[in-house]
Amino acid sequence: MLFKCLLVAILVGMLVAICLAGAASAAEAASPSGPRVVSESVESMFPSGVRFIVEAEAESQVQEVRLDYRVSGARAYAYAYLDFEPGTRVQGRHTLKTSGNSYLPAGTTIEYYYSLTDASGQTVETEPREFLYLDTRFQWQTTQAGPLLLYWHDLPPSQVQEVVGNAERAIAQMGDLLRVDATRPLRGTIYNSQAEAEAAFPVASETLAREQVFAGYAFEEEGVFLGVGMSERIVVHETAHLYLGLVRSGSARRFPSWVEEGFASYMEDPDMSYSERLAALAGWEPLPLQSMNALPGLEQDIRLFYRQAPAVVAYLLGEHGGDRFRAFLDSFSATSGADQALRAAYGFGLDELDRRWRQGLPTSGARRGLDAVFWLEVVPTIILLAAAGVAGTLLLLRAYRNRSRP
């Protein structure tokens, strides 16, 4: 009997202990364990910035609220401190600039979280969240084109579907050619006019802006492009840039412009033959490939550039196939530049490529002949002759002075 009473007492004691422990745990969970976010919001202030607002509280004063953020494609986080007056309940604000030197294209995803610190030194981090920065002037609709999410507005859906259907085939073709599997989201925004796009495009030179030379911009790191006009060419061209960005993922070195623009322009019409592309250069004097690492500054040279670069890429793909072209792209980040990458993939360098692709060019009526010869041959010759003349004159004067001395 005594044993039973002891056993009951022990069991009752254990149940009481369990209940007390549970109550203590519940009380502990109910009590604040540091600063916390009460509410937060993010707002696009297109085109000038993105505004972050957070309301936080703590038992002791909230001393610091830090915003950690990174745009899509970035590896490292940047940070900024929100402005507020310290207290037990505060509201902090910060505007992330998206224009000028801090330009971000519409369609960029911003990943962010907050770090809150109170007066006792406790720091709490919130879970990461994402915000999609969009142009707030329009009501956007979206259509999927392969891995690309296309944003558009105020267009007949039938027109969009026709463009997307054609573009999807070209996008699939470039994916096979480059052996790229686009696992990260890609976004494109289409404006209906240059006037609409002006506020969204990055600042270009006054001449390029006035002449409306560019109808689209691709931002490879962010996986975003902006374009003017719902057309297959625009969608395919800019998506090709994003695919090249995926090829060089992890490398800070960009491909030369003749590769970037050449491949993107080539993919606009991959069925156009190499000979047809050469015929399109009739009447033009080609630029040296060595000078095509970056886009030229003059409008007429830019237009020539966009004829010539796809012809060079068409030669590489047509004469040597897609496998070598991809090997060339892969070799680029592991070598010192295009010349060595060409030698690794094709067995010849940049100067030899420049000679080979030109062999079928029409020879009559070179449109830039005078300009090219003048700047590449005449001007250097004049400079050399002038330098020789000056040197000769100085020598004669020195000889005359020496002879005239007593």
Side-chain angles (χ1 to χ4, degrees), residues 147 167-177 243:
E168 276 186 319
R169 289 187 286 273
I171 292 171
Q173 185 176 350
M174 76 174 72
D176 292 339
L177 176 61
Y243 267 52

Side-chain angles (χ1 to χ4, degrees), residues 118-135:
D118 64 15
S120 68
Q122 279 189 292
T123 298
V124 174
E125 291 184 356
T126 65
E127 291 294 320
R129 303 185 68 177
E130 288 187 348
F131 174 75
L132 181 61
Y133 171 58
L134 291 175
D135 184 339

Side-chain angles (χ1 to χ4, degrees), residues 43-316:
E43 181 182 3
S44 171
M45 309 295 291
F46 178 89
S48 60
V50 176
R51 184 167 60 193
F52 294 82
I53 302 176
V54 62
E55 188 172 358
E57 66 178 9
E59 281 193 333
S60 58
Q61 282 195 341
V62 179
Q63 293 288 93
E64 181 181 280
V65 179
R66 190 179 79 182
L67 169 69
D68 290 80
Y69 64 92
R70 64 179 177 184
V71 299
S72 50
R75 293 186 176 184
Y77 281 89
Y79 64 88
Y81 292 98
L82 276 66
D83 297 323
F84 65 91
E85 290 295 329
T88 56
R89 192 178 183 99
V90 302
Q91 186 182 78
R93 294 169 177 258
H94 175 73
T95 299
L96 177 66
K97 292 183 179 179
T98 58
S99 60
N101 293 333
S102 303
Y103 173 82
L104 280 180
T108 298
T109 300
I110 303 171
E111 182 182 321
Y112 69 96
Y113 65 90
Y114 296 104
S115 297
L116 296 83
T117 303
D118 64 15
S120 68
Q122 279 189 292
T123 298
V124 174
E125 291 184 356
T126 65
E127 291 294 320
R129 303 185 68 177
E130 288 187 348
F131 174 75
L132 181 61
Y133 171 58
L134 291 175
D135 184 339
T136 53
R137 296 175 297 166
F138 307 104
Q139 294 295 318
W140 297 101
Q141 299 185 62
T142 58
T143 301
Q144 198 75 37
L148 175 72
L149 186 61
L150 199 61
Y151 289 75
W152 54 277
H153 75 92
D154 298 311
L155 291 173
S158 58
Q159 177 188 349
V160 177
Q161 289 300 331
E162 181 181 0
V163 168
V164 166
N166 294 330
E168 276 186 319
R169 289 187 286 273
I171 292 171
Q173 185 176 350
M174 76 174 72
D176 292 339
L177 176 61
L178 297 178
R179 299 198 295 276
V180 166
D181 183 15
T183 53
R184 63 175 288 193
L186 303 176
R187 293 185 175 88
T189 301
I190 297 295
Y191 292 93
N192 297 336
S193 68
Q194 195 80 26
E196 280 187 5
E198 186 175 346
F201 278 1
V203 177
S205 72
E206 184 178 346
T207 301
L208 298 182
R210 183 178 63 251
E211 300 296 337
Q212 299 182 2
V213 172
F214 298 121
Y217 289 88
F219 306 89
E220 296 177 5
E221 285 74 15
E222 291 83 359
V224 170
F225 78 73
L226 309 175
V228 176
M230 179 61 74
S231 72
E232 178 187 348
R233 286 183 176 272
I234 286 291
V235 173
V236 170
H237 183 103
E238 303 304 335
T239 303
H241 282 298
L242 301 186
Y243 267 52
L244 286 173
L246 295 176
V247 170
R248 68 173 187 85
S249 179
S251 172
R253 296 183 57 207
R254 299 183 67 90
F255 297 118
S257 289
W258 67 266
V259 176
E260 286 269 357
E261 300 301 337
F263 178 75
S265 299
Y266 170 87
M267 288 307 307
E268 291 179 22
D269 188 3
D271 295 328
M272 185 178 182
S273 68
Y274 171 53
S275 59
E276 290 175 308
R277 295 181 190 276
L278 290 181
L281 283 163
W284 295 81
E285 176 67 25
L287 299 163
L289 271 182
Q290 293 279 9
S291 72
M292 294 176 66
N293 289 330
L295 284 170
L298 298 177
E299 180 194 353
Q300 68 170 22
D301 288 347
I302 292 173
R303 299 194 186 282
L304 168 58
F305 189 103
Y306 277 95
R307 289 171 181 251
Q308 180 178 335
V312 178
V313 171
Y315 167 79
L316 291 174

Side-chain angles (χ1 to χ4, degrees), residues 283-289 291 298 300-301 304 308 354 358 365-381:
W284 295 81
E285 176 67 25
L287 299 163
L289 271 182
S291 72
L298 298 177
Q300 68 170 22
D301 288 347
L304 168 58
Q308 180 178 335
D354 207 3
R358 294 169 181 251
R367 191 166 175 177
R368 288 192 72 255
L370 181 58
D371 289 344
V373 170
F374 182 75
W375 290 109
L376 297 177
E377 297 180 15
V378 176
V379 168
T381 301

